[in-house]
Amino acid sequence: MSRLSISTQRHRLDNGLRVVLAPDSSVPVVAVNLWYGVGSRNEPAGKTGFAHLFEHMMFQGSEHVPKNGHFELIERVGGSLNGSTWFDRTNYYETVASNDLELALWLEADRMGWLLPAMDQGKLDNQRDVVKNEKRQRYDNQPYGDWSERLQAMMYPEGHPYRHTVIGSMEDLDAASLQDVESFFRIHYIPNNAVLTIAGDVDAASALPLVERYFAEIAPGPEPPPLPGDPEVPPLLGGTVREHVVSEVPLPRLIMAFRVPPFSSDDFAVAEVSRALLGMGRASRLYRRLVRERRIAESVMSYVYPLLSGASMMLVWATGYPETELDALEAAMSEELEALAGAEPSEVDRAIALTETDLLRTLERVAGRADLLSMFELYFDDPDRLNHELDRLRQVTVDQIRVFAAERLGTDNRAVLTYEPKVGGSAEVS
Amino acid sequence: MSALDRTSPPPRGPMRDFDFPAVERRALANGLDLRVARMPRLPVVSLRLFLRAGEDALSDARAGLAVLTADALEGGTRRRSGSELAEAIERIGARLGSSAGWEGTFVDLYCLAERLPEALALLAEAVREPAFPDDEVARVRDRQLAELRQRLMDPGALADDVALTRYFAEGLPYARPADGTVESIGRATRTELAGYADASYRPEGGGLVVAGDVDAAEVAALAEEHLGSWSGSPAAAGGFTVAPASRERRLLVVHRPGSVQSEIRVGHVGVERTTPDFFPLSIASIVLGGSFTSRLNLNLRERHGFTYGVRAHYSFRSRPGPFQVSTAVGNESTAAAVREILHELERFSDGGPTPEEVAAARDFAAGIFGLQLETAGQIASRVMQLVVYGLPESYFHEYRTRLRGVSTEAAAEAARRHVRPAEAQIVVVGDAEAVSGPLEELSAGPVEVRRGQRAD
C-alpha cells in the first residue's frame, strides 16, 4: 500500500509542451519547474561542457528580459531560482509566492521562445569565464575533484554519451561559439522537448489558461537528432578496470563502480535497494562493517545514478584513515559485496522505511515535488509514478538481490579507482 | 500574431495572507522549554533538542570537545551498542543526528508522525544514557582528526580557518574553528567525553521544539514521560568579550604551490544576533553580497567574470561573530578581485545602499522568509532560534513587518557602522609566486606571505 497521494493533472499544448499540475494549497507557495530533454549526453565530440555552458546563457536575458533579469525579478519578489545540467536533462526552476506565478511563467516562456535575439559575444565570453571558474573551484582545485572524469572514462567506451563529464573540458569550452549557442537552442530548446510542472498553491482551472497564454505561440521544432554516440554497451565491463592516482589528497580513498541496468529497466529497483542495503544509514552493511566494526574506513557512501542510455552505474566508495592500506580496503569492500548475497528481508524493510522518510522530506517542499514530477513525466510519461515509487522498491526480494550481487558486483564488472595521498603534499599552514 | 504584450513583467496578483504557524509553549518542570507547532500537511514530524553545551564555553585546550561528544552519541547507550541503536532508529524509518556549535548541542530527529513515541524514546536514551565505549570514542576521534586534516588541504576551508585568526584576538574561542584543532581533539579521551556529557547535557536552559503533524498535548505527555525525570543545569559557561586581532588593514597570503585559484576572504569582527541593528543590517548585507544581484556579485562575477560567485555574510551569534566576504578567483585575477572587493566595501560603507536597492532587498528578504515556512524542519529551526537567543515569542510573527519597515537611512547607517574596510583583514590562499607581487602593488596594507610548515 502506498501512503503517497500527490494528485496530478497532465496536459499537452498543441506545440507539444507537456504540462503537469500538482495543486496543494496548504502553503502559499508555488514551484515552476521545467525539464528539457537535453544534457551532456547530447554533446558531440569537441563540444563537451556545452549543455552546461548553455544553461548559464539561459540566465543572460532574452528578447524581453534584460541580462540578469531572471535573477533580479525573482529575487525582487523574494523567490528562489536556479538551473542545473545533468547527463540526460537540463532543468530550470523558480519557487515564488503563489501570486507571482505569472511572473515565473513569463520569464520561462520568454527564454524558451525568444532567447536568441538577446545573445551576443560579450555574454558568451563572460559566462565562459564564469563556467571555467566553476570548473576550477569545484573540480580542478579540489582534492579528488577529478574522480568523475576518471571514472566515467573507465566505465564507458570512447564515443559513448556518458564518457565525458557534464562540466566538460577547458579546450571545448574555449572553442564554443555564438553559432553553437544558436544551433543548440534551435535543436533542443523547443516546447516538444520539454516538460513544465507547476506544483503548490495553484488551481488547475486558472493555471492552464496562463500556461497557454505564455507558451502556446512558441513554435515546435523537429524531433531532436539521435544521440551523437552509441549508447549501447555490453551489460558487464568484462573485467576489472583499474586506475591508481597519487595526488594531493588528504586520505586514501577507494571508489568502485559497476555497470547496472538503466533507470528505465524494471531491474533498476534491485540496484536501488541493493545500494541502500550497502550504504544507506548507519545500520547499513558498509557502515556497520567497514566503518564501525573493522574501522578500516572513516566514511562510506553508495549511490546509483538514474541514467537512461544503455547502462547506468552504481558506485560505492570508502575513505580510509591515513594509515589504511588501499589493498586491504578493497579486499574488505569485496567481502561485503559478496556477503550481500545473504541479505535479509528485514534489511529491505529498513531501507524502504528510510527511503519513505527521505521521500516525504523531499515532498514537503513544492520545489521537490515539482522536480520529481518533471522527471517522471519527461523520462516515463508518467508523473503518477511518484506515488508508486515505494511500492516499486517494496517488490524487490532478497532472491533478486542475491542474483544482482552475483551478476553485477563481481570482478568481471568493476571499475576500481584509488587515490593515494602524495607524500609531501603541498598545503602549507602554520 | 499574438495579442500578448511580452515587453514587461505581468502585474502581481494580491499576496495571500500566510502567517508563521501558531506555536504552543509548555515548559517542563525541569527547565526544558517545550514548543510545539502543528503542521498537518504531511504525516511527518521534525524534532529538535537544544542543550547549552556549546563550543563557546570551552577553553582552547578543550576545543572541539562539544562537537566530538555530540558525534560520539552514535556510539550507543548503556542498553544498546552503536549498531543496535542505529538499527532501532532506522528500522522505524527515523533519521537521528547530533551536532554541536558555538551556542550549544543539537539533536535532530525526523520521522513519520506515527513513529514519534518510539523515536523520542530512543532520542532520550541516546542523550541521557550515552555509553561512550572506548572503541567508538577512538573511532569518532580518528574521524574528526581525519576531517580536520582534510580541511587543511581544502583551500576554501583553510582560508576560512586562517581568516578567523586574523579577525579575532588570540585566545578567544571565535579565533579557532568550532570543530577544534588536531592538538585538542588528539588529546580527548573517553573519560573526558563522558564527564562532559554528564556535566553539560542537562535540561535547564535548553529547549525542545517539535513541528509537524502532532498534537501539543500528546507531545507534552511524551516529553514528560521520556525527559521529565532528567534534571540539572549545564556547567556554567565562562564569559568572554570579543575583541579584534587588529584594527589595521593587513593582507596575508598562505602559500599553496601550484594552486590554480585563490581563495579570498576579507572581513572583520561583526555583530551579535540580538543587535538592534539586525533588520537594517540584514537588508544592507543582502545589497552588498547576500543575493545573486548583490553589488559584489554583479561586479566580480557578472561584470568581470573573475569568479563563479562571491558573497558577504554576517555570522550572527550570541556574541559578535565574523563579517566576511568570500570568493575564489583565478590566479591572474586575484589582486584585481581584492581591489574590487575593497572598492565595493568602501563605496558601501561611505554611501550606503540606494532606495531602490533597499526596496528590492526588503522584498527579497520578506519573500524568502515566506517561502521558508514550508517544511517542518524549517519551522522547527526558526522556533529554536527563539530559544537559543532568547528572542520574544512574537518575533517571527512580526518578522516580515519589521523587515519591510527598514528605511534606506537605517540600512545606510547600519552599513556605515558595521562595514569597516579600513579594518578589514585580507586572507588569500593561493600560489604566492603568482599572486603576491600584484597584491603588494595594491598597497592595501602590509602583506605577509606565510610559507608555513606542511599540513601533514
Side-chain angles (χ1 to χ4, degrees):
Chain A
M1 53 106 223
S2 176
R3 227 185 283 265
L4 284 176
S5 57
I6 306 288
S7 73
T8 56
Q9 299 174 24
R10 303 172 69 208
H11 304 275
R12 190 173 200 128
L13 304 195
D14 289 342
N15 60 14
L17 178 67
R18 287 179 270 171
V19 181
V20 179
L21 302 175
D24 167 22
S25 61
S26 58
V27 286
V29 179
V30 69
V32 170
N33 181 292
L34 268 148
W35 278 43
Y36 288 92
V38 59
S40 63
R41 71 172 179 171
N42 301 89
E43 295 159 349
K47 309 272 186 206
T48 66
F50 192 78
H52 171 244
L53 176 58
F54 187 89
E55 176 222 309
H56 277 246
M57 297 306 290
M58 287 282 277
F59 291 92
Q60 297 303 303
S62 46
E63 184 169 352
H64 309 104
V65 178
K67 175 173 157 76
N68 289 326
H70 281 262
F71 282 100
E72 271 162 29
L73 291 162
I74 294 291
E75 284 192 345
R76 176 74 201 227
V77 300
S80 60
L81 73 161
N82 216 330
S84 74
T85 309
W86 177 243
F87 296 91
D88 297 328
R89 58 79 183 152
T90 308
N91 67 1
Y92 300 87
Y93 44 92
E94 290 81 27
T95 308
V96 291
S98 42
N99 57 314
D100 290 312
L101 169 63
E102 199 169 342
L103 172 66
L105 295 176
W106 172 75
L107 286 167
E108 289 295 357
D110 210 61
R111 60 182 169 188
M112 183 190 284
W114 294 270
L115 180 79
L116 293 180
M119 293 293 103
D120 64 44
Q121 191 64 41
K123 288 177 178 176
L124 177 62
D125 292 341
N126 168 264
Q127 287 307 303
R128 189 202 327 266
D129 285 345
V130 170
V131 168
K132 286 166 74 173
N133 277 314
E134 179 180 358
K135 177 167 157 64
R136 289 189 193 106
Q137 185 174 337
R138 292 171 58 176
Y139 305 89
D140 304 346
N141 210 34
Q142 280 299 317
Y144 316 104
D146 59 359
W147 73 270
S148 55
E149 191 172 339
R150 293 178 185 278
L151 195 71
Q152 284 172 245
M154 294 163 77
M155 291 295 289
Y156 297 100
E158 202 67 57
H160 190 280
Y162 299 145
R163 168 96 173 175
H164 66 272
T165 58
V166 172
I167 195 76
S169 76
M170 287 290 194
E171 297 71 41
D172 289 358
L173 289 170
D174 279 332
S177 71
L178 215 47
Q179 179 57 45
D180 292 328
V181 171
E182 182 177 339
S183 61
F184 200 80
F185 178 75
R186 290 197 195 285
I187 293 170
H188 298 290
Y189 281 75
I190 47 178
N192 44 321
N193 193 33
V195 167
L196 166 65
T197 299
I198 304 174
D201 187 19
V202 61
D203 71 279
S206 61
L208 202 57
L210 275 182
V211 172
E212 289 274 359
R213 179 178 161 87
Y214 285 100
F215 289 89
E217 69 175 298
I218 301 171
E223 171 119 347
L227 297 181
D230 179 7
E232 292 313 315
V233 285
L236 303 180
L237 277 166
T240 299
V241 190
R242 294 181 172 278
E243 201 166 311
H244 181 67
V245 183
V246 180
S247 70
E248 280 155 23
V249 296
L251 295 167
R253 177 173 290 173
L254 163 75
I255 302 176
M256 226 187 241
F258 319 89
R259 262 190 207 161
V260 299
F263 190 22
S264 48
S265 154
D266 288 343
D267 290 340
F268 189 75
V270 186
E272 288 177 279
V273 173
S274 297
R275 91 93 201 156
L277 263 53
L278 285 169
M280 188 185 223
R282 287 175 179 156
S284 66
R285 286 168 167 260
L286 297 181
Y287 195 86
R288 196 178 66 229
R289 291 284 297 148
L290 304 190
V291 175
R292 217 192 287 262
E293 291 172 14
R294 299 181 64 171
R295 279 172 62 188
I296 194 168
E298 174 240 17
S299 60
V300 290
M301 206 199 73
S302 68
Y303 193 73
V304 57
Y305 282 64
L307 298 180
L308 296 173
S309 302
S312 192
M313 54 180 157
M314 167 172 147
L315 55 92
V316 290
W317 86 29
T319 304
Y321 291 96
E323 63 280 8
T324 301
E325 296 288 342
L326 282 162
D327 287 346
L329 187 55
E330 186 181 338
M333 180 68 84
S334 292
E335 277 177 42
E336 295 311 317
L337 294 169
E338 253 173 68
L340 184 63
E344 304 277 347
S346 64
E347 294 176 76
V348 178
D349 294 343
R350 178 185 57 78
I352 286 164
L354 279 181
T355 305
E356 177 170 22
T357 305
D358 292 354
L359 182 60
L360 282 166
R361 200 198 292 244
T362 301
L363 296 177
E364 272 199 278
R365 295 173 48 249
V366 290
R369 289 180 195 205
D371 203 52
L372 287 172
L373 292 169
S374 287
M375 176 180 77
F376 288 128
E377 173 65 42
L378 184 73
Y379 288 180
F380 306 116
D381 294 310
D382 182 15
D384 194 44
R385 186 168 150 147
L386 173 60
N387 290 320
H388 305 290
E389 268 297 276
L390 295 167
D391 298 327
R392 197 169 56 80
L393 300 180
R394 279 192 188 99
Q395 283 161 13
V396 174
T397 65
V398 291
D399 276 342
Q400 286 176 301
I401 293 171
R402 184 173 45 72
V403 171
F404 176 84
E407 286 181 354
R408 295 285 183 162
L409 307 182
T411 52
D412 57 348
N413 188 36
R414 284 184 190 175
V416 180
L417 172 61
T418 45
Y419 282 90
E420 177 186 326
K422 185 163 156 185
V423 179
S426 71
E428 303 194 13
V429 292
S430 68
Chain B
M1 273 303 285
S2 158
L4 180 61
D5 175 15
R6 294 182 186 269
T7 54
S8 54
R12 302 181 75 179
M15 189 175 239
R16 200 179 123 190
D17 263 350
F18 194 77
D19 198 6
F20 195 83
V23 179
E24 199 163 326
R25 189 171 177 186
R26 301 182 178 226
L28 267 62
N30 60 13
L32 196 64
D33 187 351
L34 172 65
R35 306 192 188 204
V36 184
R38 180 167 164 75
M39 300 175 67
R41 182 169 168 234
L42 281 173
V44 293
V45 60
S46 172
L47 179 149
R48 204 153 226 245
L49 173 69
F50 166 73
L51 303 169
R52 294 212 181 265
E55 284 292 329
D56 65 1
L58 294 167
S59 65
D60 278 0
R62 304 174 87 205
L65 182 59
V67 171
L68 192 62
T69 306
D71 282 355
L73 289 182
E74 67 158 302
T77 69
R78 286 176 222 145
R79 288 185 258 170
R80 278 173 242 259
S81 73
S83 283
E84 285 164 353
L85 180 64
E87 177 64 33
I89 292 164
E90 293 176 3
R91 189 179 53 77
I92 58 172
R95 291 283 193 183
L96 181 70
S98 43
S99 61
W102 292 112
E103 324 289 352
T105 296
F106 295 90
V107 185
D108 283 313
L109 174 72
Y110 187 89
C111 62
L112 293 176
E114 67 189 27
R115 295 296 197 175
L116 184 62
E118 295 154 276
L120 183 57
L122 289 163
L123 177 146
E125 183 183 324
V127 177
R128 297 182 62 186
E129 306 169 47
F132 301 116
D134 282 320
D135 54 346
E136 281 289 290
V137 170
R139 181 175 72 79
V140 294
R141 185 181 56 216
D142 287 352
R143 184 174 66 189
Q144 182 77 352
L145 287 170
E147 274 161 21
L148 290 173
R149 290 198 186 92
Q150 205 152 334
R151 279 182 71 78
L152 295 176
M153 296 189 78
D154 173 347
L158 180 61
D160 287 336
D161 291 355
V162 172
L164 294 175
T165 68
R166 305 288 280 191
Y167 304 155
F168 294 98
E170 195 177 348
L172 290 178
Y174 287 178
R176 66 186 194 230
D179 292 347
T181 60
V182 171
E183 299 75 47
S184 64
I185 296 296
R187 275 196 297 268
T189 62
R190 187 211 166 264
T191 315
E192 230 184 327
L193 266 65
Y196 180 75
D198 190 49
S200 307
Y201 287 3
R202 295 288 164 185
E204 182 75 41
L208 180 68
V209 175
V210 184
D213 189 10
V214 291
D215 172 79
E218 284 170 28
V219 172
L222 278 176
E224 190 60 50
E225 179 186 346
H226 297 294
L227 302 169
S229 64
W230 194 18
S231 65
S233 305
F240 63 91
T241 305
V242 165
S246 169
R247 290 198 187 275
E248 178 201 14
R249 189 154 81 195
R250 300 176 302 169
L251 223 148
L252 173 66
V253 179
V254 179
H255 184 39
R256 189 168 181 269
S259 195
V260 297
Q261 256 196 335
S262 297
E263 287 283 351
I264 300 174
R265 302 293 181 270
V266 180
H268 52 65
V269 171
V271 62
E272 70 281 359
R273 177 65 178 81
T274 49
T275 172
D277 289 342
F278 180 79
F279 289 97
L281 187 57
S282 297
I283 295 300
S285 78
I286 288 167
V287 175
L288 177 62
S291 62
F292 186 86
T293 50
S294 71
R295 288 189 180 186
L296 283 165
N297 206 50
L298 288 185
N299 180 334
L300 270 74
R301 171 177 159 134
E302 296 300 308
R303 193 174 322 140
H304 286 108
F306 287 159
T307 178
Y308 179 52
V310 52
R311 70 192 288 251
H313 178 70
Y314 285 86
S315 182
F316 292 106
R317 304 172 183 165
S318 339
R319 297 178 183 82
F323 158 70
Q324 178 166 276
V325 177
S326 331
T327 190
V329 304
N331 291 354
E332 68 291 350
S333 319
T334 302
V338 170
R339 184 193 66 221
E340 290 302 315
I341 290 168
L342 291 174
H343 168 68
E344 292 296 350
L345 294 182
E346 280 159 10
R347 192 164 75 92
F348 196 64
S349 179
D350 292 345
T354 66
E356 295 73 32
E357 286 174 321
V358 170
R362 279 192 310 241
D363 287 348
F364 171 70
I368 286 279
F369 177 75
L371 294 191
Q372 289 175 348
L373 305 178
E374 230 186 328
T375 73
Q378 288 168 337
I379 296 298
S381 56
R382 291 270 182 195
V383 175
M384 189 54 92
Q385 286 183 34
L386 306 180
V387 178
V388 172
Y389 300 107
L391 299 167
E393 280 177 62
S394 58
Y395 190 79
F396 286 116
H397 297 280
E398 296 162 359
Y399 194 86
R400 266 204 278 200
T401 313
R402 295 185 65 180
L403 279 174
R404 290 213 171 97
V406 172
S407 66
T408 304
E409 295 69 35
E413 178 57 23
R416 198 185 56 72
R417 257 206 299 271
H418 300 296
V419 178
R420 298 186 300 275
E423 296 175 22
Q425 304 298 310
I426 301 153
V427 172
V428 175
V429 173
D431 192 329
E433 310 303 332
V435 304
S436 55
L439 285 169
E440 292 269 5
E441 284 163 27
L442 279 182
S443 306
V447 177
E448 179 189 337
V449 178
R450 191 175 290 171
R451 300 164 193 270
Q453 64 271 40
R454 291 210 347 267
D456 44 358

